[in-house]
Amino acid sequence: MSTTTIGSGRTSTASGLDSVLDRANSAQAVVQRFLGRAGQPTLRVSLGLVFVVFGALKFIPGASPVEGLVSSTWNSLSFGIIGGYTALAVTATLEVLVGLTFITGVFLRIGLLALAATFVGIFSPLVFFTGELFTTAGPTLTAQYILKDVVLVAAAMVVGAVALKRPIGRR
């Protein structure tokens, strides 16, 4: 057995260090199991809350900072058929529906499909309104608001991967 002199002048044996490392590894395993069990459901519910809150704001005129953007995007996507409050109401309904499926876990696959459609709408302004969203100084605040949704896409991918493990059918 080897010994090492430590700062206090005491000697430490390799087996003592191994014991500390074993306890640290055991503690790490406990934390990893907890994160493995709780992480994905927490991510799913928190993603759902984000969609419920941001969707609900769109039902209230003047409450959402992206009202004009939502209306303009729907106007572009629908070739001028949908705009104004109708665009906000449709977007709000879709986002709240997605959020509720994520929070409850009920009809989650349908929520994931609706979320995919929502992301098309969320990122469309980057294509339709590039000149308005990016200036010589960089992305505008609205562009930054859109670009941060890349994190939501990543979170949705994790939720989707877990949700789609189960076969489709009755429980």
Side-chain angles (χ1 to χ4, degrees):
M1 178 181 324
S2 67
T3 61
T4 306
T5 302
I6 54 178
S8 63
R10 294 180 296 144
T11 58
S12 170
T13 62
S15 64
L17 180 59
D18 288 343
S19 174
V20 169
L21 293 175
D22 286 343
R23 282 184 277 169
N25 282 325
S26 294
Q28 178 177 304
V30 169
V31 170
Q32 189 278 328
R33 282 192 302 273
F34 170 76
L35 294 174
R37 276 192 319 272
Q40 190 278 336
T42 303
L43 182 63
R44 178 179 51 79
V45 170
S46 61
L47 187 59
L49 288 170
V50 166
F51 274 90
V52 166
V53 169
F54 281 87
L57 286 175
K58 290 175 182 73
F59 282 119
I60 305 165
S64 174
V66 292
E67 283 182 11
L69 183 64
V70 169
S71 183
S72 298
T73 301
W74 270 99
N75 196 30
S76 295
L77 287 172
S78 68
F79 303 103
I81 297 171
I82 301 173
Y85 185 75
T86 302
L88 285 169
V90 169
T91 302
T93 301
L94 192 57
E95 288 181 2
V96 169
L97 169 77
V98 166
L100 291 175
T101 65
F102 274 57
I103 291 168
T104 65
V106 177
F107 300 117
L108 188 54
R109 286 184 173 101
I110 293 169
L112 286 164
L113 284 172
L115 182 60
T118 301
F119 280 134
V120 169
I122 288 171
F123 291 113
S124 291
L126 296 174
V127 175
F128 293 128
F129 314 117
T130 305
E132 298 169 33
L133 296 173
F134 296 92
T135 66
T136 55
T140 64
L141 189 58
T142 303
Q144 293 173 40
Y145 186 89
I146 296 167
L147 291 171
K148 61 101 176 104
D149 289 337
V150 170
V151 174
L152 299 182
V153 170
M157 290 171 67
V158 171
V159 170
V162 173
L164 299 176
K165 278 184 181 178
R166 291 179 291 128
I168 297 171
R170 296 178 188 201
R171 290 186 187 199

